[in-house]
Amino acid sequence: MKILVICQYYYPEPFKVHDVCEALVAEGHEVDVVTSFPNYPMGEIYDGYKNGEHEDEIINGVNVHRVFTVGRKKGFIWRTINYYAYSLASTRYVSKIKKDYDVVFVYQLSPVLMTNAAIKYKKKHNKKLLLYCLDLWPDSLTIGGVKKGGLIYNYYKRKSQKIYKSADKILVSSKMFERYFDEMFKINGEAIDYLPQYAEDVFVPHSNADDGTTDLVFAGNIGTTQSIETILYAAENLQNEKIKFHFYGDGSGLSAFEDLARNNLRLKNVFFHGRVPLDEVARKYAESDGLVVTLSDNPVLSMSFPGKIQTYMAAGKPIIGAVNGEAAEIIKEANCGFCAKAEDVDGLVECIKEFMLSDKVQLGENARKYYEENFQKADFVKRLCDELEKLR
């Protein structure tokens, strides 16, 4: 198949869309991506991509074209400009494409407006559109403070409904998304299906000797929605225990959380290591006793299933969480750790104490087993290829 992929984000930005596209190429398909110049999460165009550098490039067999981009920087206004800049520029670009693709695929993160370019090509060339939804609109706006039911919310509700209904098939990364689409947009039945994200196999056997200290690791984006403060306040309550908290990653909230830990709470058991390569992260997973996931107490986040949980499970490590909804249910179903409610500091402290007394090896084995049965890459790629082929 010849597949046109639309996504505002692409490598070297930290999203799995590039790996999905490369997997499609490995299956023998021709993949062209229309994306922006990389600037996530800090909002500045990456070095090596400024002034139109690498506007067109081939990355591991994927043809990548980057359209005009305004860096997201900081604040609602700049982010809105960033969203619309990509939507307009990508739509303008695809309107001039003469190449005959078999199907259009949207890897939909925020904003849903990125789908406009796909709709343009679909209508102009009478093709089918498959949308993989990883972020719900308009409700994702409420995470940033937009009032549900207000003018802005209702405007994007109408926009989102039009966009989602333009897709010929929607795949969702969380089971709870199916209910949302049914209740919000009356999209159900064969028009929608569940396809969980996969995890790369990052399993590395634990080889470190036990020194009596419990090492917990949080890896990934460090922003406001991750509720890092919940971990930090839990760490404050556990300063007399032989336990260390390690953070690997970067994000818009990093400096503020570092300041909270060092200067306000004066924590001696918390360590921020910054962003590290994937292979090094795998080694840190192996050296840890358990992996931590937290999210803010928000209805939209409760419906989502953060991809880090699949990766944690692939690492074969126990999970300690402070999350609601689907993520909490999966941890319980897998019997691979302990989970408190989102933003519940005392609950997280109790979970950590319970974890320290638990059979960590068995919990890790349970996590790995659940990954192997539900989140392997080969299964994801086969399902995706089947869905694309149906729309060809």
Side-chain angles (χ1 to χ4, degrees):
M1 286 182 289
K2 294 179 181 178
I3 306 169
L4 174 61
V5 178
I6 303 295
C7 185
Q8 183 164 341
Y9 312 96
Y10 203 77
Y11 183 85
E13 291 172 312
F15 294 98
K16 196 169 287 183
V17 55
H18 77 92
D19 195 65
V20 172
C21 291
E22 290 168 17
L24 291 172
V25 169
E27 291 295 314
H29 304 295
E30 184 178 333
V31 180
D32 292 357
V33 176
V34 178
T35 187
S36 63
F37 286 90
N39 65 101
Y40 182 94
M42 303 311 292
E44 298 293 337
I45 304 296
Y46 288 19
D47 289 340
Y49 288 88
K50 297 177 180 179
N51 302 315
E53 296 173 90
H54 297 294
E55 180 180 49
D56 290 286
E57 58 182 334
I58 299 175
I59 304 176
N60 295 327
V62 180
N63 302 308
V64 180
H65 177 79
R66 303 182 189 275
V67 298
F68 171 77
T69 303
V70 177
R72 55 193 284 131
K73 299 183 183 179
K74 293 183 179 180
F76 177 79
I77 293 177
W78 277 110
R79 188 168 301 175
T80 301
I81 293 173
N82 169 262
Y83 288 169
Y84 275 95
Y86 174 75
S87 177
L88 293 171
S90 59
T91 300
R92 184 166 55 249
Y93 177 77
V94 301
S95 68
K96 299 176 182 178
I97 290 179
K98 296 180 180 180
K99 187 172 180 177
D100 185 27
Y101 294 97
D102 296 306
V103 65
V104 187
F105 174 47
V106 177
Y107 192 92
Q108 188 247 305
L109 301 154
S110 274
V112 73
L113 299 173
M114 70 175 66
T115 310
N116 286 333
I119 295 172
K120 179 70 175 181
Y121 187 89
K122 162 192 164 77
K123 291 182 176 180
K124 184 175 181 179
H125 298 274
N126 193 28
K127 301 296 180 179
K128 300 291 179 122
L129 192 166
L130 175 65
L131 185 148
Y132 186 37
C133 178
L134 295 100
D135 202 6
L136 291 178
W137 274 61
D139 278 37
S140 288
L141 290 166
T142 63
I143 299 172
V146 173
K147 183 179 179 181
K148 192 168 184 175
L151 290 176
I152 295 176
Y153 178 90
N154 287 337
Y155 170 79
Y156 281 106
K157 180 180 178 180
R158 293 190 297 271
K159 283 275 190 182
S160 300
Q161 182 172 30
K162 182 178 179 181
I163 288 171
Y164 285 129
K165 282 189 171 291
S166 295
D168 296 283
K169 182 67 177 280
I170 295 176
L171 300 176
V172 292
S173 55
S174 167
K175 291 179 181 178
M176 290 187 176
F177 283 11
E178 292 183 279
R179 187 175 66 204
Y180 177 89
F181 275 101
D182 186 17
E183 295 175 353
M184 179 70 78
F185 304 122
K186 306 303 179 188
I187 297 174
N188 48 43
E190 294 183 0
I192 192 164
D193 206 354
Y194 170 60
L195 179 61
Q197 294 186 76
Y198 63 86
E200 293 292 347
D201 198 330
V202 296
F203 182 70
V204 181
H206 194 298
S207 58
N208 280 20
D210 186 0
D211 62 358
T213 299
T214 297
D215 288 287
L216 298 182
V217 165
F218 175 100
N221 185 49
I222 299 177
T224 56
T225 60
Q226 281 71 43
S227 191
I228 302 300
E229 67 273 15
T230 301
I231 304 175
L232 298 181
Y233 287 122
E236 181 184 31
N237 290 335
L238 293 165
Q239 288 194 93
N240 294 326
E241 304 285 343
K242 295 190 69 175
I243 184 169
K244 294 178 181 178
F245 296 83
H246 301 273
F247 293 86
Y248 296 93
D250 197 355
S252 59
L254 178 60
S255 60
F257 290 126
E258 285 182 317
D259 184 64
L260 175 63
R262 293 173 181 171
N263 301 322
N264 293 72
L265 302 180
R266 300 185 182 282
L267 301 177
K268 304 297 183 182
N269 56 351
V270 169
F271 306 89
F272 288 92
H273 304 280
R275 186 183 298 179
V276 297
L278 182 60
D279 57 346
E280 188 174 341
V281 172
R283 189 169 68 252
K284 298 305 180 184
Y285 287 164
E287 294 170 355
S288 75
D289 295 290
L291 305 175
V292 183
V293 57
T294 51
L295 286 173
S296 299
D297 184 9
N298 180 280
V300 179
L301 294 175
S302 296
M303 286 188 283
S304 68
F305 185 39
K308 74 163 74 260
I309 291 181
Q310 285 102 323
T311 304
Y312 283 1
M313 286 181 167
K317 289 292 180 176
I319 299 174
I320 305 96
V323 292
N324 296 333
E326 180 141 349
E329 291 178 8
I330 293 294
I331 294 172
K332 180 179 179 181
E333 182 179 313
N335 190 24
C336 65
F338 304 91
C339 194
K341 294 185 181 298
E343 299 185 19
D344 182 356
V345 175
D346 292 336
L348 180 58
V349 169
E350 290 306 312
C351 283
I352 293 171
K353 288 181 177 179
E354 190 173 358
F355 163 75
M356 293 173 73
L357 300 173
S358 70
D359 184 344
K360 301 178 183 64
V361 173
Q362 185 61 59
L363 291 174
E365 290 177 354
N366 293 347
R368 177 69 187 187
K369 181 181 178 182
Y370 197 91
Y371 152 76
E372 291 176 347
E373 293 176 350
N374 296 276
F375 302 131
Q376 293 209 63
K377 181 177 179 178
D379 297 332
F380 176 96
V381 174
K382 184 181 184 304
R383 275 282 315 282
L384 179 59
C385 287
D386 289 346
E387 294 292 345
L388 289 166
E389 189 66 48
K390 291 175 186 177
L391 297 178
R392 185 176 181 176

